[in-house]
Amino acid sequence: KQWYQRRVRETFQHYFKQINLRAMGNVAASAKSPDPFASLPELTVESLSEPPKSDEGPSAPSSKSTNPGSFEELPRQTKEVFPTPFEGCKFSWNKMITERFQASHSIMMSSFKPPAYKFGATYVGATKLGPNEQYPVLISEYGGGIVQFQAIHSFSKQVQAKAVVHATDKTWSMYQGDIGYKGKDFSVQLTGVNASIINPQGIWVAHYLQSVTDKLSLGGELLFQHGMGAKNAALTLGGRFRDGDTEFMVKTGEQSTNIGFYVKGNEQVECAVEFEYVKQMGESITTFGYCVDLPKGLSKFRGSIDTDWSVAGVLEKRFEAFPFAFTLSGLLNHKKNQAKFGIGFTIG
């Protein structure tokens, strides 16, 4: 489930980053600020191309699979190595009500925001398409006056659909619909965000990724925005080369460029390097990260350092005799002389 918790945030950040780059050009600054709720149990999204994974950390997908996954998933292997720091104190409690229904409670306290409480519920259906795939999946969350709901369903092993709704103060603040198809050696996906066919508006995104060889995949993404009296379109091209435990990816378009390199040293150590450039802001940043898994100690540490002089680290510790997890987080920016620390407790 921890992997799920990162997917929804990455999905929304990806789309709204493209919008704001066109409209305001202030995404880069906001994207660098750590989100204190990033590690809380919250509304989650499952990838249209990847089945759920266990909590044992990222691992290189098998090269025997001819389906390349989705285009938006290209940077996932690299980004999962990096830590997600938070500030303040957080407490989470996950409770299995039945084998298909789970409830969660989350409390977050920090110095820059008032205490926040979130309640979440997850239901997993009985339709089983694989060892780790059961549908439909219904996920809901309420907190801070915001209601979020998601529904994920696979009509077959090739076709999967997803719907996401955010409501605030009795209004639909955001709604999104996805439909994806996985072929033998390709994947195609269509996404609409606040989109309407009757009254043309919102954002439409089309993805395509093709396996050229067993190791090389190439594809593209076309984003079209209609609204506020303007029409914008952006084309992004990308590809991935994977050889065993080594992976190299690149995504480049008119507004930004993202390059990543991932390598798995052994069963306990993973490393990644990522370069990001935002044209409109005229800024670039390179990040080096690593993940060390200590299975005998039931511990995992993720650390990173970037060219903005930020050093971050997150330590996760589980206890074998109890369903309890302890998390320590730290972020230090030497350039801005800022430090942020967090502590978390998870039961269940």
Side-chain angles (χ1 to χ4, degrees):
K1 185 177 179 182
Q2 292 179 354
W3 177 77
Y4 278 142
Q5 296 169 359
R6 291 188 288 268
R7 293 301 307 120
V8 63
R9 194 165 304 278
E10 293 175 2
T11 301
F12 292 149
Q13 286 179 346
H14 174 73
Y15 295 142
F16 289 114
K17 180 178 180 180
Q18 295 290 341
I19 303 168
N20 293 332
L21 283 174
R22 287 280 183 181
M24 296 176 289
N26 63 354
V27 173
S30 61
K32 294 177 183 177
S33 301
D35 188 343
F37 288 97
S39 299
L40 285 175
E42 56 183 346
L43 188 66
T44 56
V45 166
E46 181 184 30
S47 165
L48 291 180
S49 60
E50 299 285 347
K53 294 170 57 180
S54 65
D55 291 340
E56 297 187 5
S59 60
S62 173
S63 59
K64 296 181 181 179
S65 176
T66 56
N67 185 276
S70 66
F71 183 82
E72 66 175 342
E73 291 285 312
L74 286 180
R76 179 182 63 84
Q77 198 74 37
T78 299
K79 291 185 177 295
E80 284 192 344
V81 175
F82 300 144
T84 306
F86 60 94
E87 183 179 16
C89 179
K90 62 184 179 70
F91 173 79
S92 305
W93 179 39
N94 304 316
K95 175 66 176 179
M96 292 296 299
I97 308 300
T98 67
E99 62 177 3
R100 305 195 185 282
F101 183 76
Q102 174 180 304
S104 65
H105 304 267
S106 304
I107 299 176
M108 182 71 191
M109 295 176 291
S110 65
S111 59
F112 62 94
K113 282 186 177 182
Y117 167 78
K118 288 186 178 182
F119 171 77
T122 303
Y123 172 81
V124 179
T127 304
K128 195 170 185 178
L129 298 181
N132 296 319
E133 293 184 275
Q134 288 185 234
Y135 300 95
V137 179
L138 305 177
I139 307 168
S140 63
E141 183 180 79
Y142 174 78
I146 301 175
V147 178
Q148 306 177 70
F149 174 79
Q150 292 187 44
I152 307 166
H153 185 62
S154 279
F155 301 98
S156 66
K157 291 185 177 181
Q158 290 77 34
V159 181
Q160 187 178 83
K162 176 180 60 183
V164 183
V165 176
H166 288 202
T168 306
D169 296 330
K170 300 181 181 180
T171 61
W172 304 111
S173 58
M174 195 283 290
Y175 53 89
Q176 172 185 328
D178 294 349
I179 184 72
Y181 179 82
K182 296 187 296 183
K184 182 179 179 181
D185 59 354
F186 72 93
S187 293
V188 61
Q189 177 181 332
L190 178 64
T191 301
V193 181
N194 293 344
S196 174
I197 300 177
I198 300 176
N199 182 22
Q201 64 178 8
I203 306 159
W204 293 95
V205 187
H207 306 267
Y208 182 81
L209 190 62
Q210 173 75 52
S211 290
V212 181
T213 66
D214 292 341
K215 299 180 179 180
L216 179 64
S217 301
L218 299 175
E221 170 190 275
L222 178 62
L223 183 147
F224 178 76
Q225 179 188 2
H226 188 186
M228 297 182 293
K231 296 181 180 179
N232 295 313
L235 177 64
T236 302
L237 301 177
R240 176 184 62 216
F241 180 81
R242 179 187 296 140
D243 185 10
D245 293 330
T246 303
E247 178 176 306
F248 174 81
M249 62 75 54
V250 59
K251 292 176 69 175
T252 182
E254 180 184 354
Q255 298 296 331
S256 62
T257 298
N258 182 215
I259 302 175
F261 177 77
Y262 164 88
V263 60
K264 184 175 182 179
N266 52 47
E267 293 300 323
Q268 286 77 41
V269 180
E270 296 167 294
C271 297
V273 179
E274 182 183 52
F275 169 81
E276 288 185 295
Y277 170 70
V278 181
K279 178 181 178 181
Q280 193 162 352
M281 297 296 296
E283 296 181 354
S284 65
I285 185 170
T286 302
T287 306
F288 169 77
Y290 61 94
C291 177
V292 180
D293 188 6
L294 304 174
K296 293 185 178 180
L298 298 177
S299 302
K300 181 178 294 186
F301 180 80
R302 289 183 173 93
S304 69
I305 182 171
D306 60 39
T307 53
D308 194 40
W309 295 96
S310 291
V311 180
V314 174
L315 173 65
E316 303 172 5
K317 169 65 178 179
R318 291 190 173 273
F319 298 87
E320 187 174 7
F322 307 98
F324 178 80
F326 175 71
T327 306
L328 281 177
S329 171
L331 173 66
L332 177 62
N333 187 295
H334 295 80
K335 183 178 180 180
K336 300 176 182 179
N337 195 26
Q338 295 178 350
K340 298 179 180 180
F341 299 94
I343 183 172
F345 304 90
T346 301
I347 300 177

